[in-house]
PDB file of all heavy atoms in Angstrom:
ATOM      1  N   LEU A  14      74.189 122.077 138.773  1.00  0.00           N
ATOM      2  CA  LEU A  14      73.844 120.782 139.317  1.00  0.00           C
ATOM      3  C   LEU A  14      72.512 120.311 138.826  1.00  0.00           C
ATOM      4  O   LEU A  14      72.412 119.123 138.405  1.00  0.00           O
ATOM      5  CB  LEU A  14      73.706 121.034 140.892  1.00  0.00           C
ATOM      6  CG  LEU A  14      75.000 120.945 141.723  1.00  0.00           C
ATOM      7  CD1 LEU A  14      74.825 121.238 143.095  1.00  0.00           C
ATOM      8  CD2 LEU A  14      75.716 119.563 141.420  1.00  0.00           C
ATOM      9  N   ALA A  15      71.626 121.290 138.750  1.00  0.00           N
ATOM     10  CA  ALA A  15      70.321 120.917 138.155  1.00  0.00           C
ATOM     11  C   ALA A  15      70.442 120.380 136.691  1.00  0.00           C
ATOM     12  O   ALA A  15      69.906 119.342 136.386  1.00  0.00           O
ATOM     13  CB  ALA A  15      69.421 122.189 138.114  1.00  0.00           C
ATOM     14  N   LEU A  16      71.209 121.048 135.808  1.00  0.00           N
ATOM     15  CA  LEU A  16      71.542 120.506 134.425  1.00  0.00           C
ATOM     16  C   LEU A  16      72.069 119.159 134.495  1.00  0.00           C
ATOM     17  O   LEU A  16      71.657 118.285 133.834  1.00  0.00           O
ATOM     18  CB  LEU A  16      72.465 121.475 133.816  1.00  0.00           C
ATOM     19  CG  LEU A  16      71.799 122.547 132.784  1.00  0.00           C
ATOM     20  CD1 LEU A  16      72.908 123.365 132.272  1.00  0.00           C
ATOM     21  CD2 LEU A  16      71.096 121.819 131.799  1.00  0.00           C
ATOM     22  N   ALA A  17      73.140 119.072 135.348  1.00  0.00           N
ATOM     23  CA  ALA A  17      73.781 117.672 135.475  1.00  0.00           C
ATOM     24  C   ALA A  17      72.791 116.624 135.801  1.00  0.00           C
ATOM     25  O   ALA A  17      72.682 115.430 135.217  1.00  0.00           O
ATOM     26  CB  ALA A  17      74.950 117.675 136.467  1.00  0.00           C
ATOM     27  N   ALA A  18      71.890 116.865 136.808  1.00  0.00           N
ATOM     28  CA  ALA A  18      70.922 115.898 137.268  1.00  0.00           C
ATOM     29  C   ALA A  18      70.006 115.598 136.127  1.00  0.00           C
ATOM     30  O   ALA A  18      69.567 114.466 135.828  1.00  0.00           O
ATOM     31  CB  ALA A  18      69.959 116.531 138.390  1.00  0.00           C
ATOM     32  N   PHE A  19      69.497 116.643 135.310  1.00  0.00           N
ATOM     33  CA  PHE A  19      68.643 116.406 134.308  1.00  0.00           C
ATOM     34  C   PHE A  19      69.284 115.479 133.240  1.00  0.00           C
ATOM     35  O   PHE A  19      68.649 114.551 132.747  1.00  0.00           O
ATOM     36  CB  PHE A  19      68.394 117.896 133.553  1.00  0.00           C
ATOM     37  CG  PHE A  19      67.522 117.569 132.371  1.00  0.00           C
ATOM     38  CD1 PHE A  19      66.239 117.407 132.451  1.00  0.00           C
ATOM     39  CD2 PHE A  19      68.138 117.728 131.098  1.00  0.00           C
ATOM     40  CE1 PHE A  19      65.391 117.348 131.242  1.00  0.00           C
ATOM     41  CE2 PHE A  19      67.455 117.593 129.878  1.00  0.00           C
ATOM     42  CZ  PHE A  19      65.977 117.366 130.118  1.00  0.00           C
ATOM     43  N   PHE A  20      70.552 115.819 132.953  1.00  0.00           N
ATOM     44  CA  PHE A  20      71.208 114.993 131.897  1.00  0.00           C
ATOM     45  C   PHE A  20      71.470 113.572 132.362  1.00  0.00           C
ATOM     46  O   PHE A  20      71.422 112.589 131.566  1.00  0.00           O
ATOM     47  CB  PHE A  20      72.526 115.598 131.416  1.00  0.00           C
ATOM     48  CG  PHE A  20      72.433 116.615 130.366  1.00  0.00           C
ATOM     49  CD1 PHE A  20      72.695 117.925 130.658  1.00  0.00           C
ATOM     50  CD2 PHE A  20      71.821 116.137 129.214  1.00  0.00           C
ATOM     51  CE1 PHE A  20      72.529 118.866 129.552  1.00  0.00           C
ATOM     52  CE2 PHE A  20      71.718 117.113 128.174  1.00  0.00           C
ATOM     53  CZ  PHE A  20      71.972 118.510 128.367  1.00  0.00           C
ATOM     54  N   MET A  21      71.736 113.405 133.684  1.00  0.00           N
ATOM     55  CA  MET A  21      72.007 112.028 134.157  1.00  0.00           C
ATOM     56  C   MET A  21      70.626 111.237 134.063  1.00  0.00           C
ATOM     57  O   MET A  21      70.686 110.082 133.506  1.00  0.00           O
ATOM     58  CB  MET A  21      72.471 112.062 135.594  1.00  0.00           C
ATOM     59  CG  MET A  21      73.972 112.160 135.614  1.00  0.00           C
ATOM     60  SD  MET A  21      74.571 112.916 137.076  1.00  0.00           S
ATOM     61  CE  MET A  21      74.497 111.667 138.254  1.00  0.00           C
ATOM     62  N   THR A  22      69.552 111.773 134.493  1.00  0.00           N
ATOM     63  CA  THR A  22      68.264 110.986 134.335  1.00  0.00           C
ATOM     64  C   THR A  22      67.967 110.872 132.815  1.00  0.00           C
ATOM     65  O   THR A  22      67.522 109.821 132.397  1.00  0.00           O
ATOM     66  CB  THR A  22      67.118 111.662 135.073  1.00  0.00           C
ATOM     67  OG1 THR A  22      67.103 113.112 134.610  1.00  0.00           O
ATOM     68  CG2 THR A  22      67.199 111.518 136.496  1.00  0.00           C
ATOM     69  N   GLY A  23      68.328 111.828 132.067  1.00  0.00           N
ATOM     70  CA  GLY A  23      68.041 111.752 130.581  1.00  0.00           C
ATOM     71  C   GLY A  23      68.830 110.681 130.040  1.00  0.00           C
ATOM     72  O   GLY A  23      68.249 109.900 129.288  1.00  0.00           O
ATOM     73  N   CYS A  24      70.065 110.524 130.470  1.00  0.00           N
ATOM     74  CA  CYS A  24      70.912 109.423 129.859  1.00  0.00           C
ATOM     75  C   CYS A  24      70.371 108.093 130.290  1.00  0.00           C
ATOM     76  O   CYS A  24      70.316 107.134 129.510  1.00  0.00           O
ATOM     77  CB  CYS A  24      72.387 109.540 130.293  1.00  0.00           C
ATOM     78  SG  CYS A  24      73.194 110.806 129.514  1.00  0.00           S
ATOM     79  N   ALA A  25      69.932 108.029 131.568  1.00  0.00           N
ATOM     80  CA  ALA A  25      69.406 106.803 132.005  1.00  0.00           C
ATOM     81  C   ALA A  25      68.281 106.319 131.172  1.00  0.00           C
ATOM     82  O   ALA A  25      68.104 105.198 130.719  1.00  0.00           O
ATOM     83  CB  ALA A  25      68.963 106.814 133.485  1.00  0.00           C
ATOM     84  N   LYS A  26      67.366 107.286 130.785  1.00  0.00           N
ATOM     85  CA  LYS A  26      66.227 106.978 130.012  1.00  0.00           C
ATOM     86  C   LYS A  26      66.694 106.503 128.574  1.00  0.00           C
ATOM     87  O   LYS A  26      66.190 105.526 128.070  1.00  0.00           O
ATOM     88  CB  LYS A  26      65.414 108.278 129.715  1.00  0.00           C
ATOM     89  CG  LYS A  26      64.344 108.609 130.835  1.00  0.00           C
ATOM     90  CD  LYS A  26      63.013 108.057 130.384  1.00  0.00           C
ATOM     91  CE  LYS A  26      61.933 107.975 131.434  1.00  0.00           C
ATOM     92  NZ  LYS A  26      62.325 107.994 132.801  1.00  0.00           N
ATOM     93  N   LEU A  27      67.727 107.268 128.090  1.00  0.00           N
ATOM     94  CA  LEU A  27      68.215 106.827 126.758  1.00  0.00           C
ATOM     95  C   LEU A  27      68.712 105.335 126.803  1.00  0.00           C
ATOM     96  O   LEU A  27      68.469 104.557 125.771  1.00  0.00           O
ATOM     97  CB  LEU A  27      69.446 107.663 126.353  1.00  0.00           C
ATOM     98  CG  LEU A  27      69.094 109.057 125.676  1.00  0.00           C
ATOM     99  CD1 LEU A  27      70.292 109.680 125.320  1.00  0.00           C
ATOM    100  CD2 LEU A  27      68.213 108.703 124.354  1.00  0.00           C
ATOM    101  N   LYS A  28      69.376 105.012 127.957  1.00  0.00           N
ATOM    102  CA  LYS A  28      69.940 103.689 127.991  1.00  0.00           C
ATOM    103  C   LYS A  28      68.798 102.681 127.943  1.00  0.00           C
ATOM    104  O   LYS A  28      68.955 101.564 127.537  1.00  0.00           O
ATOM    105  CB  LYS A  28      70.806 103.488 129.298  1.00  0.00           C
ATOM    106  CG  LYS A  28      72.237 104.054 129.082  1.00  0.00           C
ATOM    107  CD  LYS A  28      73.008 103.606 130.264  1.00  0.00           C
ATOM    108  CE  LYS A  28      74.348 104.312 130.256  1.00  0.00           C
ATOM    109  NZ  LYS A  28      74.862 104.523 131.640  1.00  0.00           N
ATOM    110  N   GLU A  29      67.667 103.059 128.451  1.00  0.00           N
ATOM    111  CA  GLU A  29      66.562 102.099 128.663  1.00  0.00           C
ATOM    112  C   GLU A  29      65.870 101.934 127.153  1.00  0.00           C
ATOM    113  O   GLU A  29      65.144 101.048 126.962  1.00  0.00           O
ATOM    114  CB  GLU A  29      65.457 102.593 129.518  1.00  0.00           C
ATOM    115  CG  GLU A  29      65.779 102.267 131.020  1.00  0.00           C
ATOM    116  CD  GLU A  29      64.865 103.091 131.959  1.00  0.00           C
ATOM    117  OE1 GLU A  29      63.729 103.501 131.376  1.00  0.00           O
ATOM    118  OE2 GLU A  29      65.145 103.085 133.064  1.00  0.00           O
TER     119      GLU A  29
END
Side-chain angles (χ1 to χ4, degrees):
L14 278 176
L16 258 180
F19 174 80
F20 274 118
M21 273 153 79
T22 48
C24 282
K26 274 265 165 344
L27 274 182
K28 273 188 193 155
E29 278 168 17

